[in-house]
Amino acid sequence: MTAPWSLRALVADLTAGRTTPEAAVAEARARIAAASFDAWVSSAFVPVSVGPLGGVPLGVKDIIDLAGLPTRCGSVLREDSPPATVDAAIVREWRRAGAVPIGKTVTTEFAFFAPGPTDNPAAPGHTPGGSSSGSAAAVVAGHVPLALGSQTAGSVTRPAAFCGVASLVMSRGRFPVDGVTGLSPSLDSHGMFTATVSDLSLAWSALSGEPEAAVSSPPRLLVWSSEDATPAMRTALGSAVAGLRSAGAVVDEFPDPALVPALTAAHPVVMAYEAARERPVELASADRLSAPLAQLLRTGAEMPLAEYEAALDVVASGASRLAEIVAGYDAILAPAALGSAPAGLAATGDPVLSRPWQALGLPVIAVPGLRDEAGLPLGLQLVGRSSEETALLATGRWTETALKR
């Protein structure tokens, strides 16, 4: 497997004239052609654009419209879809930043659980996670230095953790979702993958227009874990906390552990109710869908409004309580997944550790670098405040550096 492609190094080479956008795109295509696994569903020539990332090859998850290519959403229902005529709004923003979309990456069926064909380049024979499986695999394999995902439950954070790359889930609503085939307007968020948190910071600055924040001084963190996490993950988290404290961070225990299960339980209720109403065409053809997606849509269609509204109330009160808890802290530190990538490609793993933060629509970074005894990647996540991605990324860069010591 080719090593992940450093976005920061490529941008430096492009800026200095040591390579060209055309050469970068050609290199990406050569790497994809040489791959032995399926992370891509289609590609097309796209004129090189200019901007802070001018010439950086970009992968686009196949629920996001890319002009000239069909949006098939990993589903038999979209096999004959015509090419999109215009880019999704988020793709237009990435083009403005200079990124060059070179193709569509594999997604699970409508960004839910039914997996695509993608293997995990960092752990062959293990799932790359879902639903942004192709994007995570393409980045860890070095096909592209930047790829787009989306998250409704754990579709960015989990594949990043399983593949050993960095990811950012953006604050919900930070950029419009026009042209994205979503599941739940109250939960759908944009995301991206790079090799490192440092690369995420550079990409976010180019996209948002915000200057990169300097790498932070030792942060103040709240640590939260789950009894369901594997022993290897709990051990890795404990070692990470010890290392971060040794490097100067303040790490305190999350003070209200009952809050997280309440948010975790509310999340799938909101998701099911909204998915049934967001995807009525697919609900009408549920017999042609995978069993998990058909069940989600049918469950949501039959759900009483009162149950949905009660879940929204839990989320609203949880947001208020969390704001009190995190005052004076830079981020929440937690496992990004229950453990390393499960063996096999028939399932994508459990998103449960992302559900509470996704219910709140908060920005989340997956920090790579940890491994279990078998050498499989283990990811940590940092949860920040809404619309404070730049500050969260500064904390993430400090954390990434400290974990390497």
Side-chain angles (χ1 to χ4, degrees):
M1 182 185 77
T2 303
W5 197 348
S6 167
L7 176 66
R8 195 172 288 275
L10 176 58
V11 170
D13 287 344
L14 288 163
T15 302
R18 292 188 290 268
T19 190
T20 65
E22 291 80 4
V25 170
E27 175 67 19
R29 295 200 184 286
R31 293 181 182 207
I32 293 168
S36 59
F37 63 95
D38 298 320
W40 298 81
V41 295
S42 56
S43 64
F45 172 78
V46 181
V48 171
S49 52
V50 296
L53 300 179
V56 170
L58 174 73
V60 179
K61 181 179 180 180
D62 195 25
I63 66 166
I64 303 171
D65 286 350
L66 182 60
L69 295 177
T71 305
R72 296 196 172 106
C73 301
S75 173
V76 296
L77 299 186
R78 298 290 182 93
E79 284 182 341
D80 299 323
S81 295
T85 56
V86 297
D87 288 330
I90 190 66
V91 172
R92 294 197 296 273
E93 292 296 322
W94 281 109
R95 287 192 197 274
R96 178 197 51 75
V100 182
I102 63 166
K104 309 294 288 290
T105 55
V106 169
T107 176
T108 61
E109 180 192 38
F110 287 103
F112 202 53
F113 281 115
T118 309
D119 200 350
N120 185 336
H126 293 69
T127 176
S131 62
S132 307
S133 49
S135 288
V139 167
V140 74
H143 293 177
V144 287
L146 176 64
L148 306 189
S150 67
Q151 178 154 301
T152 306
S155 296
V156 170
T157 304
R158 183 166 89 264
F162 287 172
C163 292
V165 295
S167 70
L168 169 66
V169 179
M170 303 175 198
S171 302
R172 189 158 52 251
R174 199 66 197 273
F175 290 91
V177 293
D178 306 58
V180 179
T181 305
L183 277 176
S184 172
S186 294
L187 300 173
D188 296 337
S189 298
H190 290 297
M192 63 171 157
F193 300 87
T194 61
T196 65
V197 179
S198 175
D199 285 351
L200 284 180
S201 177
L202 177 65
W204 174 253
S205 176
L207 178 69
S208 67
E210 298 175 2
E212 281 193 88
V215 176
S216 72
S217 55
R220 293 174 58 83
L221 303 172
L222 288 169
V223 62
W224 175 84
S225 189
S226 167
E227 294 181 355
D228 295 327
T230 64
M233 176 56 86
R234 292 199 297 272
T235 298
L237 178 62
S239 297
V241 168
L244 296 177
R245 284 174 172 155
S246 178
V250 173
V251 187
D252 294 330
E253 292 293 325
F254 191 83
D256 188 355
L259 174 63
V260 179
L263 291 166
T264 302
H267 175 279
V269 175
V270 175
M271 186 173 180
Y273 185 91
E274 294 191 358
R277 287 146 185 85
E278 185 75 2
R279 303 258 63 88
V281 173
E282 289 75 20
L283 175 61
S285 301
D287 289 343
R288 299 178 63 197
L289 299 174
S290 65
L293 181 55
Q295 181 178 359
L296 174 79
L297 298 179
R298 288 166 175 155
T299 298
E302 296 171 357
M303 184 177 292
L305 175 61
E307 184 176 351
Y308 168 66
E309 291 178 334
L312 291 179
D313 288 344
V314 170
V315 173
S317 61
S320 298
R321 174 62 179 139
L322 193 74
E324 297 171 357
I325 290 173
V326 300
Y329 290 90
D330 295 292
I332 298 167
L333 173 68
L338 293 174
S340 59
L345 305 183
T348 62
D350 193 331
V352 64
L353 299 190
S354 290
R355 291 188 187 276
W357 325 117
Q358 196 62 24
L360 299 173
L362 300 176
V364 176
I365 294 171
V367 182
L370 303 181
R371 300 269 173 174
D372 66 11
E373 291 183 350
L376 301 182
L378 292 170
L380 299 178
Q381 59 178 330
L382 289 168
V383 184
R385 296 181 180 80
S386 181
S387 300
E388 294 189 11
E389 282 87 346
T390 296
L392 178 62
L393 286 161
T395 298
R397 291 176 69 185
W398 185 93
T399 302
E400 181 177 60
T401 300
L403 291 176
K404 292 178 180 177
R405 292 176 182 171

